[in-house]
Amino acid sequence: MHTLWSNSNFISHKVFSFLKSRINTTLHIPDKLFCIFDSLVIETFAEINTIPILVLACRFCPKNIEGTVYALIMSSLNFGNMVSFQMGGILMHFLGINENSFDNLWILIIISNLSMLTILPMLHTVDFKAGAETADEGEEVHN
């Protein structure tokens, strides 16, 4: 299920390519409406993507510190968002993208889409069997 939402999030970021290639105008969708709808879809997928993380955190954390773990996860996600916005701004500056020039926007879109895949090589470090055992023990302790 989490893979489904991650892939959906990756695909939703591809919509920027539609805006760059102006496919929305051929479908008679105004740019403003397209951007608002696109932002809504991306934010929805981002929120849904956090649900499996929170569920795993609830299973792994010791009893009576769930709120602390939730606050730590949310602050980490917010810090990551802040860093990503800053990195996006720096990339836009170096690529010369501004309100008057979108010539290198396609490069930024490719970098953005590929950066979402950089975490995949690290999946082999996750011990899924130990996580499942810990989750099962946590259910017995909390029940």
Side-chain angles (χ1 to χ4, degrees):
M1 178 90 167
H2 181 63
T3 306
L4 171 70
W5 288 115
S6 296
N7 291 335
S8 300
N9 195 13
F10 179 75
I11 291 168
S12 71
H13 278 78
K14 294 276 187 198
V15 175
F16 288 123
S17 303
F18 296 154
L19 187 61
K20 171 67 173 137
S21 62
R22 308 288 295 167
I23 291 175
N24 61 314
T25 56
T26 60
L27 298 172
H28 305 291
I29 301 172
D31 289 338
K32 289 183 181 180
L33 182 66
F34 188 79
C35 288
I36 290 171
F37 178 73
D38 178 53
S39 298
L40 176 73
V41 168
I42 288 173
E43 289 299 320
T44 302
F45 282 128
E47 290 299 320
I48 291 173
N49 245 349
T50 60
I51 293 172
I53 295 169
L54 296 175
V55 169
L56 280 175
C58 287
R59 287 187 176 180
F60 290 138
C61 74
K63 191 173 181 175
N64 297 330
I65 64 163
E66 293 90 354
T68 305
V69 172
Y70 176 78
L72 179 65
I73 290 171
M74 293 310 292
S75 63
S76 299
L77 290 173
N78 288 333
F79 179 72
N81 283 335
M82 183 185 68
V83 169
S84 72
F85 283 123
Q86 296 299 319
M87 299 270 302
I90 291 169
L91 280 171
M92 285 177 64
H93 175 74
F94 284 123
L95 292 173
I97 301 170
N98 56 36
E99 65 273 0
N100 299 321
S101 173
F102 296 105
D103 295 335
N104 294 329
L105 183 61
W106 66 273
I107 297 171
L108 182 64
I109 292 170
I110 290 172
I111 291 170
S112 173
N113 286 330
L114 290 177
S115 69
M116 293 173 57
L117 300 175
T118 57
I119 195 67
L120 291 179
M122 299 301 292
L123 280 178
H124 71 86
T125 62
V126 178
D127 187 9
F128 292 105
K129 290 180 183 176
E133 292 169 4
T134 307
D136 291 338
E137 291 171 7
E139 288 175 1
E140 292 172 7
V141 170
H142 288 284
N143 289 335

